[in-house]
Amino acid sequence: MTNGASPESVGFSSQRLSRVNKMMQGYIDDGKLASGLTMLARRGETFHFEPHGVLDLESDTPVERDTLFRIYSMTKPITSAAVMMLYEEGHFSLDDPVGKFIPELASMKVYDGMGETGMRLVDQQQPITIRHLLTHTSGLSYGFHQDSPIEQMYREANITDPDSTLQEMAEKLGKLPLVTQPGTKWRYSNATDVLGYLVEVVSGTPFDQYLQDNILDPLGMGDTSFYVAEENLDRLATVYGATTNGKIAPLDNPMVNRQLRPHTLFSGGGGLVSTGADYMHFCQMLLNGGVFGDQRLLAPKTVEMMRSNHLTDDLKPFAVGQSNASDTKGCGFGLGFRVVMDIAQHGIIGSNGIYSWGGAASTVFWIDPQEELVAILLTQFMPSSYYPLRREFQIATYQAMME
């Protein structure tokens, strides 16, 4: 993969592509974002790699190409790739019950609404499978929804306490009811954290070490980790949130602070810190059908299955949080990503077959196999639904594609 191709050499207009920078700079000039980084590659060549803004409004240090960003849920596709590497080795099938490997999750009760004496709990009609975890149809939850009393139970159980372990996380989850019967509803959840533990159990290797040995090192992702080493903290961008007076202020909570120090719960659902260049290596591996340079992680057919829709029609459209399902219109879900199935219904220019995911701090990536295009947007702002950043970035990118 080469760096620094001209937009024209890969079918883009430099003039029109300047709208990406203009959009990002507009957010920064308006005080809506502090930092940003946008990166585009086509046919294996990076033709746009632009830092925007500052790491931290207080220090005013400019964002560089090697700035570190918390990628939160963009960790999920990496975890899903690890699961599929073990799948290829023959350790399990997609429809194996997860309880076979993680007994804590073998027979959980299921919430069935409120009765006169409190929650009604019923038995599972079918076990949670590995496919359910990969597609967010397991019945697990995250604790940030508002539609059942189980959410409060999640919050009180402190499911992903950074100083606990993945096994302890599984034990906590196993004591809580499922929100829905497995396979009956799409619900964003701790499922990918559970997959991280599955990797640990099946491989016999701690999850962080498995990722290091089998994905991060082979792909040359030297800046991607679950916490930032002390000597690199000055490269980490600060996470901001909106204030009541229309400005932004740094956030200070366990979710943004856990990556600042060593800890023991390695969150496959949202734990990694990375850079644009590192994440581009991972995306290029997927776009290339599982290979990057001389390193093959997955077979082409495995990647093809990952980027295929696994949801039946009754599970669509799906919504990630409290928001409506507008950004998933025309989309299905694969093994770790959203997949665009009907671009007209989707309503954002691009291609059928784009697969993508975003993170809690307003980051996003997408891969367009039809156009051999990878796009990455990194910033540090919560909540991610606050600005239409992702949609605007996608439109600004595709309106600059001329051939």
Side-chain angles (χ1 to χ4, degrees):
M1 186 182 144
T2 56
N3 255 337
S6 75
E8 278 68 22
S9 71
V10 291
F12 274 73
S13 153
S14 297
Q15 186 196 346
R16 292 179 74 101
L17 193 59
S18 65
R19 289 177 183 171
V20 172
N21 291 347
K22 196 174 158 198
M23 175 205 104
M24 292 300 292
Q25 200 54 51
Y27 274 98
I28 288 161
D29 291 347
D30 292 347
K32 293 176 173 176
L33 291 177
S35 63
L37 182 125
T38 46
M39 195 170 179
L40 298 166
R42 192 177 195 194
R43 302 174 193 138
E45 305 208 46
T46 300
F47 63 93
H48 168 95
F49 191 178
E50 297 287 334
H52 313 275
V54 293
L55 293 185
D56 181 87
L57 293 173
E58 219 168 282
S59 68
D60 225 26
T61 310
V63 173
E64 306 281 356
R65 286 182 168 189
D66 68 349
T67 290
L68 295 163
F69 295 87
R70 298 162 186 80
I71 59 169
Y72 290 118
S73 289
M74 280 167 60
T75 305
K76 288 180 170 75
I78 296 177
T79 302
S80 303
V83 169
M84 295 310 289
M85 288 165 79
L86 293 168
Y87 164 86
E88 285 188 337
E89 289 174 18
H91 293 285
F92 47 77
S93 81
L94 287 184
D95 297 317
D96 273 351
V98 77
K100 188 171 156 184
F101 306 94
I102 304 173
E104 294 86 348
L105 306 183
S107 53
M108 296 163 72
K109 291 289 185 190
V110 182
Y111 174 66
D112 188 38
M114 296 300 288
E116 286 176 20
T117 54
M119 284 193 293
R120 277 197 305 271
L121 298 177
V122 297
D123 290 335
Q124 279 177 234
Q125 287 160 5
Q126 60 167 320
I128 299 171
T129 65
I130 292 169
R131 190 197 304 260
H132 290 148
L133 293 174
L134 283 160
T135 57
H136 294 288
T137 55
S138 64
L140 293 167
S141 195
Y142 239 146
F144 63 66
H145 304 275
Q146 307 293 329
D147 55 359
S148 86
I150 291 165
E151 300 303 302
Q152 184 58 33
M153 294 167 76
Y154 265 74
R155 293 191 285 272
E156 286 165 6
N158 193 8
I159 303 290
T160 50
D161 171 7
D163 297 312
S164 65
T165 65
L166 290 173
Q167 184 177 351
E168 287 166 337
M169 174 199 75
E171 286 164 3
K172 289 175 189 172
L173 283 170
K175 292 183 179 125
L176 300 178
L178 295 172
V179 183
T180 57
Q181 288 286 351
T184 61
K185 201 167 187 313
W186 195 94
R187 189 181 186 87
Y188 208 35
S189 74
N190 282 119
T192 319
D193 293 303
V194 174
L195 288 171
Y197 184 45
L198 177 76
V199 168
E200 191 163 290
V201 170
V202 169
S203 69
T205 310
F207 178 54
D208 62 323
Q209 194 61 51
Y210 184 88
L211 286 192
Q212 199 66 52
D213 296 345
N214 295 280
I215 297 181
L216 304 180
D217 285 348
L219 293 181
M221 297 171 69
D223 277 325
T224 305
S225 60
F226 284 102
Y227 53 84
V228 180
E230 209 167 319
E231 64 269 21
N232 292 326
L233 283 170
D234 58 347
R235 288 166 51 202
L236 179 66
T238 300
V239 183
Y240 286 85
T243 60
T244 44
N245 60 3
K247 292 187 165 45
I248 60 173
L251 296 178
D252 178 16
N253 61 47
M255 195 170 173
V256 302
N257 295 337
R258 67 180 174 197
Q259 286 96 349
L260 303 177
R261 60 178 180 84
H263 54 269
T264 50
L265 186 123
F266 303 109
S267 165
L272 289 173
V273 170
S274 192
T275 61
D278 271 17
Y279 208 84
M280 181 59 81
H281 288 184
F282 175 72
C283 292
Q284 288 290 162
M285 178 276 293
L286 291 171
L287 178 60
N288 299 341
V291 69
F292 181 76
D294 59 0
Q295 298 288 323
R296 177 165 289 286
L297 273 62
L298 293 162
K301 286 293 179 190
T302 307
V303 176
E304 194 182 312
M305 184 156 76
M306 291 175 75
R307 61 183 178 85
S308 298
N309 168 52
H310 288 247
L311 299 185
T312 50
D313 286 347
D314 57 324
L315 297 172
K316 301 183 306 221
F318 54 92
V320 171
Q322 302 304 109
S323 60
N324 59 21
S326 63
D327 61 340
T328 66
K329 276 193 299 204
C331 294
F333 200 84
L335 304 179
F337 341 85
R338 183 184 81 169
V339 183
V340 176
M341 298 171 68
D342 181 340
I343 198 73
Q345 207 189 342
H346 188 49
I348 305 169
I349 53 172
S351 313
N352 284 332
I354 287 176
Y355 53 108
S356 66
W357 205 240
S362 305
T363 61
V364 73
F365 79 95
W366 81 80
I367 300 171
D368 180 340
Q370 198 176 310
E371 299 295 351
E372 295 180 77
L373 180 74
V374 176
I376 294 170
L377 164 70
L378 299 176
T379 182
Q380 300 282 260
F381 178 87
M382 289 177 167
S384 63
S385 55
Y386 201 77
Y387 304 131
L389 257 181
R390 294 165 176 168
R391 184 186 74 226
E392 288 173 8
F393 176 49
Q394 187 168 326
I395 293 168
T397 298
Y398 280 103
Q399 61 82 36
M401 184 190 281
M402 298 296 106
E403 57 187 58

